[in-house]
Amino acid sequence: MKEETNRAEHIPVLAKTLVEQINLPMDAVMVDATIGHGGHSFLFASKLSEKGVIVGMDVDDDAFPEAREVLKEVKCSVILVHSNFSQITEQLHAQGIEKVDFILADLGICSAQISSEKFGLSFQTNMPLDMRIDKRLKLDAADIVNSYDEKRLADLIYKYGEDRASRRIARFIVSHRKENKITTTEQLADIICRALGKSGKRSRIHPATRTFQALRIAVNSELENLEKLLDSAPKLLNKDGLIAIISFHSLEDRIVKYDFRQKKTDGIYDILTKKPLIASLEEVQENHRARSAKLRIAKKR
Ligand SMILES: C[S@@+](CC[C@H](N)C(=O)[O-])C[C@H]1O[C@@H](n2cnc3c(N)ncnc32)[C@H](O)[C@@H]1O
């Protein structure tokens, strides 16, 4: 029931900003690399003619029925592809598409996925510790916390969670798992809370936030997939084609920023957003997820 409510409440972040910034021809071919429930796609699809095409990709095909429902009345063609966006080139070629006018990615996960038991992502609700968004992946978060040695765990929490207490957290995880295998999100969150003690209680965010982020990034190879998408984009974009990436933490934003900068130096892109665009106060009040969203846009020369 909770999941249904969240699905209905999902609001695409930076919707107004995107619509102001991105003007597509009516017969545009666009890729929504993270279609989710189709909120962003709808903003653009509703402006396209019968000649326009939207290719929507997602690693979680449970999102597709809702995306189809949201897009059922648009005039353009809608093609839904169950795939990681790291495979964007192969997937477009398989559809007979060589070039596109717009690539959009709204990175990360949506609120329905956080609250769903299927993904095992939440430290607020007890669920099996999993974190694979794509169920075809082999290694899950429980495998990592129960098998990595202490140093490797600490390095992972530091690198992907930017948590300065990474060594202490890793030590607590390793000591706990000698007694009991860690299989649930609640167990892991409790271990982290114990590791951080009073300093965790004083923190603005839940003590487990950073470690959970680190594990999710590692399990789903999020940064590597983003790099592959960014590497593939120039060959796929038409001249004047646009790429827009919405990121939610500094690790992702840094990758996008340096990729666009390098491609500007190489004469491939013009950067349309000198600084990343962020949500207005009103939007953040309406949609909590927008508080950390950063949008960067580049145009193919
Ligand atoms: C924030 S939601 C997107 C919401 C969507 N923009 C909307 O308006 O409904 C992110 C989506 O991207 C998907 N996703 C995350 N990483 C992905 C990847 N590497 N390839 C394809 N889909 C991915 C998730 O499964 C999730 O459905």
Side-chain angles (χ1 to χ4, degrees), residues 216-267:
R216 201 195 79 206
I217 290 176
V219 165
N220 297 291
S221 306
E222 291 184 11
L223 304 184
E224 293 86 342
N225 291 331
L226 174 59
E227 280 164 0
K228 284 186 192 154
L229 173 70
L230 295 170
D231 286 348
S232 307
K235 277 204 177 133
L236 295 170
L237 286 169
N238 280 318
K239 181 175 172 349
D240 295 333
L242 299 167
I243 174 163
I245 310 282
I246 304 173
S247 61
F248 292 86
H249 53 76
S250 54
L251 297 170
E252 288 170 346
D253 184 54
R254 220 173 291 150
I255 291 175
V256 180
K257 175 166 129 185
Y258 288 112
D259 179 82
F260 285 6
R261 258 196 210 167
Q262 183 59 48
K263 289 186 175 123
K264 181 181 176 206
T265 308
D266 297 343

Short mmCIF file of all heavy atoms in Angstrom, two decimals, residues 216-267:
data_model
loop_
_atom_site.label_atom_id
_atom_site.label_comp_id
_atom_site.label_asym_id
_atom_site.label_seq_id
_atom_site.Cartn_x
_atom_site.Cartn_y
_atom_site.Cartn_z
N ARG A 216 25.17 0.65 -2.24
CA ARG A 216 24.30 0.71 -3.44
C ARG A 216 25.12 1.04 -4.69
O ARG A 216 24.97 0.41 -5.74
CB ARG A 216 23.22 1.77 -3.23
CG ARG A 216 22.01 1.58 -4.10
CD ARG A 216 21.17 2.83 -4.12
NE ARG A 216 21.74 3.82 -5.01
CZ ARG A 216 21.54 5.13 -4.89
NH1 ARG A 216 20.82 5.62 -3.90
NH2 ARG A 216 22.07 5.95 -5.77
N ILE A 217 26.03 1.99 -4.54
CA ILE A 217 26.88 2.38 -5.68
C ILE A 217 27.73 1.19 -6.12
O ILE A 217 27.85 0.90 -7.31
CB ILE A 217 27.77 3.59 -5.30
CG1 ILE A 217 26.91 4.84 -5.15
CG2 ILE A 217 28.86 3.81 -6.35
CD1 ILE A 217 27.68 6.08 -4.68
N ALA A 218 28.29 0.47 -5.13
CA ALA A 218 29.17 -0.66 -5.46
C ALA A 218 28.38 -1.81 -6.08
O ALA A 218 28.77 -2.34 -7.13
CB ALA A 218 29.89 -1.13 -4.20
N VAL A 219 27.27 -2.17 -5.46
CA VAL A 219 26.48 -3.31 -5.96
C VAL A 219 26.04 -3.08 -7.40
O VAL A 219 26.10 -3.98 -8.24
CB VAL A 219 25.23 -3.53 -5.05
CG1 VAL A 219 24.21 -4.43 -5.72
CG2 VAL A 219 25.65 -4.11 -3.71
N ASN A 220 25.62 -1.85 -7.70
CA ASN A 220 25.06 -1.57 -9.03
C ASN A 220 26.07 -0.95 -10.00
O ASN A 220 25.68 -0.53 -11.09
CB ASN A 220 23.83 -0.65 -8.88
CG ASN A 220 22.73 -1.32 -8.09
OD1 ASN A 220 22.12 -2.27 -8.57
ND2 ASN A 220 22.50 -0.88 -6.86
N SER A 221 27.34 -0.88 -9.61
CA SER A 221 28.40 -0.27 -10.43
C SER A 221 27.93 1.07 -11.00
O SER A 221 28.08 1.35 -12.20
CB SER A 221 28.79 -1.19 -11.60
OG SER A 221 29.14 -2.45 -11.14
N GLU A 222 27.35 1.89 -10.13
CA GLU A 222 26.68 3.10 -10.62
C GLU A 222 27.64 4.06 -11.32
O GLU A 222 27.28 4.66 -12.34
CB GLU A 222 25.96 3.80 -9.46
CG GLU A 222 24.77 2.99 -8.98
CD GLU A 222 23.95 3.67 -7.89
OE1 GLU A 222 24.16 4.87 -7.62
OE2 GLU A 222 23.08 2.99 -7.31
N LEU A 223 28.84 4.23 -10.76
CA LEU A 223 29.73 5.24 -11.36
C LEU A 223 30.30 4.76 -12.69
O LEU A 223 30.40 5.52 -13.65
CB LEU A 223 30.84 5.62 -10.37
CG LEU A 223 30.34 6.13 -9.01
CD1 LEU A 223 31.50 6.56 -8.13
CD2 LEU A 223 29.34 7.28 -9.15
N GLU A 224 30.61 3.47 -12.76
CA GLU A 224 31.14 2.91 -14.02
C GLU A 224 30.07 3.00 -15.11
O GLU A 224 30.37 3.32 -16.26
CB GLU A 224 31.53 1.43 -13.86
CG GLU A 224 32.73 1.17 -12.96
CD GLU A 224 32.34 1.05 -11.48
OE1 GLU A 224 31.24 1.50 -11.09
OE2 GLU A 224 33.17 0.53 -10.71
N ASN A 225 28.81 2.72 -14.75
CA ASN A 225 27.73 2.78 -15.74
C ASN A 225 27.54 4.21 -16.26
O ASN A 225 27.32 4.43 -17.45
CB ASN A 225 26.42 2.26 -15.15
CG ASN A 225 26.48 0.77 -14.90
OD1 ASN A 225 27.18 0.06 -15.60
ND2 ASN A 225 25.76 0.30 -13.89
N LEU A 226 27.64 5.17 -15.33
CA LEU A 226 27.52 6.57 -15.74
C LEU A 226 28.65 6.93 -16.71
O LEU A 226 28.42 7.57 -17.75
CB LEU A 226 27.56 7.48 -14.50
CG LEU A 226 27.58 8.97 -14.74
CD1 LEU A 226 26.36 9.44 -15.53
CD2 LEU A 226 27.65 9.75 -13.41
N GLU A 227 29.86 6.49 -16.40
CA GLU A 227 31.00 6.78 -17.29
C GLU A 227 30.78 6.17 -18.68
O GLU A 227 31.06 6.80 -19.69
CB GLU A 227 32.31 6.25 -16.68
CG GLU A 227 32.84 7.19 -15.62
CD GLU A 227 33.90 6.57 -14.72
OE1 GLU A 227 34.23 5.38 -14.91
OE2 GLU A 227 34.36 7.27 -13.81
N LYS A 228 30.22 4.96 -18.71
CA LYS A 228 29.97 4.33 -20.02
C LYS A 228 28.93 5.10 -20.81
O LYS A 228 29.05 5.28 -22.02
CB LYS A 228 29.53 2.88 -19.82
CG LYS A 228 30.67 1.96 -19.46
CD LYS A 228 30.22 0.51 -19.42
CE LYS A 228 31.29 -0.35 -18.79
NZ LYS A 228 30.80 -1.56 -18.16
N LEU A 229 27.88 5.56 -20.12
CA LEU A 229 26.85 6.35 -20.79
C LEU A 229 27.46 7.62 -21.38
O LEU A 229 27.22 7.98 -22.55
CB LEU A 229 25.72 6.71 -19.80
CG LEU A 229 24.65 7.66 -20.31
CD1 LEU A 229 23.76 6.96 -21.35
CD2 LEU A 229 23.75 8.18 -19.17
N LEU A 230 28.28 8.30 -20.56
CA LEU A 230 28.89 9.56 -21.01
C LEU A 230 29.86 9.31 -22.18
O LEU A 230 29.93 10.11 -23.11
CB LEU A 230 29.62 10.25 -19.85
CG LEU A 230 28.70 10.72 -18.71
CD1 LEU A 230 29.52 11.16 -17.51
CD2 LEU A 230 27.77 11.85 -19.16
N ASP A 231 30.56 8.18 -22.14
CA ASP A 231 31.49 7.86 -23.24
C ASP A 231 30.74 7.57 -24.53
O ASP A 231 31.22 7.86 -25.62
CB ASP A 231 32.31 6.59 -22.89
CG ASP A 231 33.37 6.89 -21.85
OD1 ASP A 231 33.63 8.08 -21.58
OD2 ASP A 231 33.93 5.92 -21.29
N SER A 232 29.56 6.95 -24.40
CA SER A 232 28.80 6.56 -25.60
C SER A 232 28.11 7.75 -26.27
O SER A 232 27.84 7.72 -27.48
CB SER A 232 27.70 5.55 -25.24
OG SER A 232 28.23 4.47 -24.54
N ALA A 233 27.77 8.76 -25.48
CA ALA A 233 26.87 9.82 -25.95
C ALA A 233 27.33 10.56 -27.22
O ALA A 233 26.52 10.72 -28.14
CB ALA A 233 26.62 10.82 -24.82
N PRO A 234 28.60 11.00 -27.32
CA PRO A 234 28.96 11.81 -28.48
C PRO A 234 28.68 11.14 -29.83
O PRO A 234 28.20 11.80 -30.75
CB PRO A 234 30.46 12.05 -28.30
CG PRO A 234 30.69 11.93 -26.84
CD PRO A 234 29.72 10.89 -26.37
N LYS A 235 28.93 9.85 -29.94
CA LYS A 235 28.72 9.16 -31.21
C LYS A 235 27.24 9.03 -31.53
O LYS A 235 26.86 8.84 -32.68
CB LYS A 235 29.35 7.76 -31.16
CG LYS A 235 30.82 7.78 -31.46
CD LYS A 235 31.29 6.43 -31.97
CE LYS A 235 32.75 6.51 -32.34
NZ LYS A 235 33.53 5.41 -31.82
N LEU A 236 26.40 9.07 -30.50
CA LEU A 236 24.96 8.87 -30.71
C LEU A 236 24.21 10.18 -31.00
O LEU A 236 23.16 10.18 -31.63
CB LEU A 236 24.33 8.21 -29.48
CG LEU A 236 24.81 6.79 -29.18
CD1 LEU A 236 24.30 6.33 -27.81
CD2 LEU A 236 24.33 5.82 -30.27
N LEU A 237 24.77 11.29 -30.52
CA LEU A 237 24.04 12.56 -30.65
C LEU A 237 24.21 13.18 -32.04
O LEU A 237 25.32 13.22 -32.58
CB LEU A 237 24.54 13.56 -29.60
CG LEU A 237 24.09 13.30 -28.15
CD1 LEU A 237 24.88 14.20 -27.19
CD2 LEU A 237 22.59 13.53 -27.97
N ASN A 238 23.11 13.66 -32.60
CA ASN A 238 23.16 14.48 -33.81
C ASN A 238 23.86 15.79 -33.51
O ASN A 238 23.95 16.19 -32.34
CB ASN A 238 21.73 14.82 -34.26
CG ASN A 238 21.09 13.67 -35.00
OD1 ASN A 238 21.73 13.03 -35.83
ND2 ASN A 238 19.81 13.42 -34.72
N LYS A 239 24.27 16.52 -34.56
CA LYS A 239 24.79 17.88 -34.34
C LYS A 239 23.68 18.69 -33.65
O LYS A 239 22.51 18.55 -34.01
CB LYS A 239 25.16 18.51 -35.69
CG LYS A 239 25.73 19.89 -35.52
CD LYS A 239 26.20 20.47 -36.82
CE LYS A 239 26.62 21.93 -36.75
NZ LYS A 239 26.32 22.71 -35.59
N ASP A 240 24.04 19.49 -32.66
CA ASP A 240 23.11 20.27 -31.83
C ASP A 240 22.26 19.40 -30.90
O ASP A 240 21.35 19.92 -30.24
CB ASP A 240 22.18 21.16 -32.68
CG ASP A 240 22.96 22.23 -33.42
OD1 ASP A 240 24.05 22.62 -32.92
OD2 ASP A 240 22.52 22.67 -34.49
N GLY A 241 22.52 18.10 -30.90
CA GLY A 241 21.81 17.22 -29.96
C GLY A 241 22.22 17.55 -28.53
O GLY A 241 23.31 18.07 -28.29
N LEU A 242 21.33 17.24 -27.58
CA LEU A 242 21.56 17.64 -26.19
C LEU A 242 21.70 16.43 -25.28
O LEU A 242 21.06 15.39 -25.51
CB LEU A 242 20.38 18.49 -25.70
CG LEU A 242 20.14 19.79 -26.46
CD1 LEU A 242 18.77 20.37 -26.10
CD2 LEU A 242 21.24 20.80 -26.15
N ILE A 243 22.53 16.60 -24.25
CA ILE A 243 22.60 15.58 -23.20
C ILE A 243 22.37 16.29 -21.87
O ILE A 243 22.97 17.33 -21.60
CB ILE A 243 23.93 14.78 -23.22
CG1 ILE A 243 23.99 13.82 -22.01
CG2 ILE A 243 25.16 15.66 -23.26
CD1 ILE A 243 25.02 12.71 -22.14
N ALA A 244 21.44 15.75 -21.07
CA ALA A 244 21.12 16.35 -19.77
C ALA A 244 21.20 15.26 -18.71
O ALA A 244 20.59 14.21 -18.85
CB ALA A 244 19.71 16.94 -19.79
N ILE A 245 22.00 15.54 -17.67
CA ILE A 245 22.16 14.55 -16.60
C ILE A 245 21.78 15.20 -15.27
O ILE A 245 22.28 16.27 -14.92
CB ILE A 245 23.63 14.04 -16.49
CG1 ILE A 245 24.19 13.61 -17.85
CG2 ILE A 245 23.74 12.95 -15.43
CD1 ILE A 245 23.75 12.27 -18.37
N ILE A 246 20.88 14.52 -14.55
CA ILE A 246 20.51 14.98 -13.20
C ILE A 246 21.18 14.04 -12.21
O ILE A 246 20.94 12.83 -12.24
CB ILE A 246 18.99 14.95 -12.99
CG1 ILE A 246 18.26 15.76 -14.06
CG2 ILE A 246 18.63 15.46 -11.59
CD1 ILE A 246 16.75 15.63 -14.02
N SER A 247 22.04 14.60 -11.35
CA SER A 247 22.73 13.74 -10.38
C SER A 247 22.33 14.15 -8.97
O SER A 247 21.78 15.24 -8.76
CB SER A 247 24.24 13.84 -10.57
OG SER A 247 24.64 15.16 -10.36
N PHE A 248 22.63 13.25 -8.01
CA PHE A 248 22.13 13.47 -6.65
C PHE A 248 23.22 13.44 -5.58
O PHE A 248 22.93 13.60 -4.41
CB PHE A 248 21.03 12.45 -6.31
CG PHE A 248 19.80 12.72 -7.12
CD1 PHE A 248 19.67 12.18 -8.39
CD2 PHE A 248 18.83 13.57 -6.65
CE1 PHE A 248 18.57 12.47 -9.17
CE2 PHE A 248 17.72 13.87 -7.41
CZ PHE A 248 17.59 13.31 -8.68
N HIS A 249 24.45 13.16 -5.97
CA HIS A 249 25.53 13.30 -5.00
C HIS A 249 26.80 13.72 -5.72
O HIS A 249 26.91 13.61 -6.95
CB HIS A 249 25.72 12.05 -4.13
CG HIS A 249 25.88 10.78 -4.90
ND1 HIS A 249 27.04 10.45 -5.53
CD2 HIS A 249 25.01 9.78 -5.15
CE1 HIS A 249 26.89 9.29 -6.11
NE2 HIS A 249 25.66 8.85 -5.90
N SER A 250 27.76 14.20 -4.91
CA SER A 250 28.93 14.85 -5.50
C SER A 250 29.75 13.90 -6.36
O SER A 250 30.38 14.32 -7.33
CB SER A 250 29.78 15.46 -4.40
OG SER A 250 30.08 14.45 -3.46
N LEU A 251 29.75 12.61 -6.05
CA LEU A 251 30.57 11.67 -6.83
C LEU A 251 30.08 11.64 -8.28
O LEU A 251 30.87 11.67 -9.22
CB LEU A 251 30.49 10.26 -6.24
CG LEU A 251 31.04 10.09 -4.82
CD1 LEU A 251 30.69 8.72 -4.28
CD2 LEU A 251 32.54 10.29 -4.81
N GLU A 252 28.75 11.58 -8.45
CA GLU A 252 28.18 11.56 -9.81
C GLU A 252 28.38 12.92 -10.49
O GLU A 252 28.77 12.99 -11.65
CB GLU A 252 26.66 11.32 -9.74
CG GLU A 252 26.25 9.95 -9.35
CD GLU A 252 24.74 9.84 -9.06
OE1 GLU A 252 24.04 10.88 -8.90
OE2 GLU A 252 24.26 8.72 -8.99
N ASP A 253 28.08 13.98 -9.75
CA ASP A 253 28.15 15.31 -10.36
C ASP A 253 29.56 15.62 -10.85
O ASP A 253 29.74 16.19 -11.92
CB ASP A 253 27.66 16.38 -9.38
CG ASP A 253 27.65 17.75 -10.05
OD1 ASP A 253 27.02 17.87 -11.12
OD2 ASP A 253 28.30 18.68 -9.53
N ARG A 254 30.56 15.19 -10.06
CA ARG A 254 31.95 15.43 -10.44
C ARG A 254 32.27 14.72 -11.77
O ARG A 254 32.92 15.28 -12.64
CB ARG A 254 32.86 14.87 -9.34
CG ARG A 254 34.05 15.73 -9.05
CD ARG A 254 34.79 15.19 -7.83
NE ARG A 254 34.05 15.34 -6.58
CZ ARG A 254 34.16 14.50 -5.54
NH1 ARG A 254 34.95 13.45 -5.59
NH2 ARG A 254 33.48 14.72 -4.43
N ILE A 255 31.77 13.50 -11.92
CA ILE A 255 32.04 12.74 -13.15
C ILE A 255 31.44 13.48 -14.35
O ILE A 255 32.07 13.64 -15.40
CB ILE A 255 31.47 11.31 -13.04
CG1 ILE A 255 32.27 10.52 -12.01
CG2 ILE A 255 31.46 10.59 -14.38
CD1 ILE A 255 31.74 9.12 -11.71
N VAL A 256 30.20 13.96 -14.19
CA VAL A 256 29.52 14.66 -15.30
C VAL A 256 30.26 15.97 -15.62
O VAL A 256 30.54 16.27 -16.79
CB VAL A 256 28.03 14.95 -14.94
CG1 VAL A 256 27.34 15.67 -16.08
CG2 VAL A 256 27.30 13.65 -14.60
N LYS A 257 30.58 16.70 -14.57
CA LYS A 257 31.26 18.00 -14.75
C LYS A 257 32.56 17.83 -15.54
O LYS A 257 32.79 18.53 -16.52
CB LYS A 257 31.54 18.59 -13.37
CG LYS A 257 32.34 19.86 -13.38
CD LYS A 257 32.25 20.50 -12.01
CE LYS A 257 33.60 20.85 -11.47
NZ LYS A 257 33.52 21.36 -10.09
N TYR A 258 33.41 16.87 -15.12
CA TYR A 258 34.70 16.71 -15.79
C TYR A 258 34.56 16.11 -17.19
O TYR A 258 35.32 16.45 -18.09
CB TYR A 258 35.68 15.92 -14.91
CG TYR A 258 36.13 16.78 -13.74
CD1 TYR A 258 35.76 16.48 -12.44
CD2 TYR A 258 36.86 17.95 -13.97
CE1 TYR A 258 36.12 17.31 -11.38
CE2 TYR A 258 37.23 18.78 -12.92
CZ TYR A 258 36.86 18.46 -11.63
OH TYR A 258 37.21 19.29 -10.59
N ASP A 259 33.55 15.27 -17.37
CA ASP A 259 33.32 14.71 -18.71
C ASP A 259 32.95 15.83 -19.69
O ASP A 259 33.51 15.93 -20.79
CB ASP A 259 32.20 13.66 -18.65
CG ASP A 259 31.92 13.08 -20.02
OD1 ASP A 259 32.65 12.16 -20.43
OD2 ASP A 259 30.99 13.57 -20.72
N PHE A 260 32.00 16.68 -19.30
CA PHE A 260 31.57 17.77 -20.19
C PHE A 260 32.75 18.72 -20.46
O PHE A 260 32.96 19.17 -21.57
CB PHE A 260 30.40 18.55 -19.56
CG PHE A 260 29.05 17.84 -19.62
CD1 PHE A 260 28.93 16.52 -20.07
CD2 PHE A 260 27.87 18.49 -19.21
CE1 PHE A 260 27.69 15.88 -20.11
CE2 PHE A 260 26.64 17.85 -19.26
CZ PHE A 260 26.55 16.54 -19.71
N ARG A 261 33.53 19.02 -19.40
CA ARG A 261 34.67 19.94 -19.56
C ARG A 261 35.68 19.38 -20.55
O ARG A 261 36.17 20.09 -21.42
CB ARG A 261 35.37 20.10 -18.21
CG ARG A 261 34.99 21.38 -17.57
CD ARG A 261 35.98 21.66 -16.47
NE ARG A 261 35.28 22.42 -15.45
CZ ARG A 261 35.74 22.64 -14.25
NH1 ARG A 261 36.88 22.12 -13.87
NH2 ARG A 261 35.06 23.37 -13.41
N GLN A 262 36.00 18.09 -20.40
CA GLN A 262 36.98 17.47 -21.28
C GLN A 262 36.48 17.50 -22.73
O GLN A 262 37.22 17.80 -23.66
CB GLN A 262 37.23 16.02 -20.81
CG GLN A 262 38.30 15.29 -21.61
CD GLN A 262 39.66 16.00 -21.54
OE1 GLN A 262 40.12 16.36 -20.46
NE2 GLN A 262 40.26 16.26 -22.69
N LYS A 263 35.19 17.23 -22.89
CA LYS A 263 34.64 17.18 -24.25
C LYS A 263 34.51 18.58 -24.84
O LYS A 263 34.53 18.74 -26.06
CB LYS A 263 33.32 16.41 -24.25
CG LYS A 263 33.60 14.93 -24.00
CD LYS A 263 32.42 14.03 -24.11
CE LYS A 263 32.87 12.58 -23.97
NZ LYS A 263 32.23 11.85 -22.93
N LYS A 264 34.41 19.57 -24.00
CA LYS A 264 34.44 20.95 -24.51
C LYS A 264 35.85 21.25 -25.03
O LYS A 264 36.03 21.76 -26.14
CB LYS A 264 34.06 21.92 -23.38
CG LYS A 264 34.04 23.35 -23.83
CD LYS A 264 33.70 24.30 -22.73
CE LYS A 264 33.81 25.69 -23.33
NZ LYS A 264 34.09 26.70 -22.35
N THR A 265 36.86 20.88 -24.23
CA THR A 265 38.26 21.07 -24.64
C THR A 265 38.54 20.33 -25.94
O THR A 265 39.25 20.83 -26.82
CB THR A 265 39.20 20.52 -23.53
OG1 THR A 265 38.81 21.10 -22.32
CG2 THR A 265 40.65 20.81 -23.82
N ASP A 266 37.96 19.16 -26.10
CA ASP A 266 38.20 18.36 -27.31
C ASP A 266 37.34 18.81 -28.50
O ASP A 266 37.33 18.16 -29.55
CB ASP A 266 37.90 16.87 -27.02
CG ASP A 266 38.84 16.30 -25.97
OD1 ASP A 266 39.89 16.92 -25.71
OD2 ASP A 266 38.52 15.23 -25.40
N GLY A 267 36.56 19.87 -28.31
CA GLY A 267 35.74 20.41 -29.41
C GLY A 267 34.50 19.57 -29.72
O GLY A 267 33.93 19.65 -30.81
#
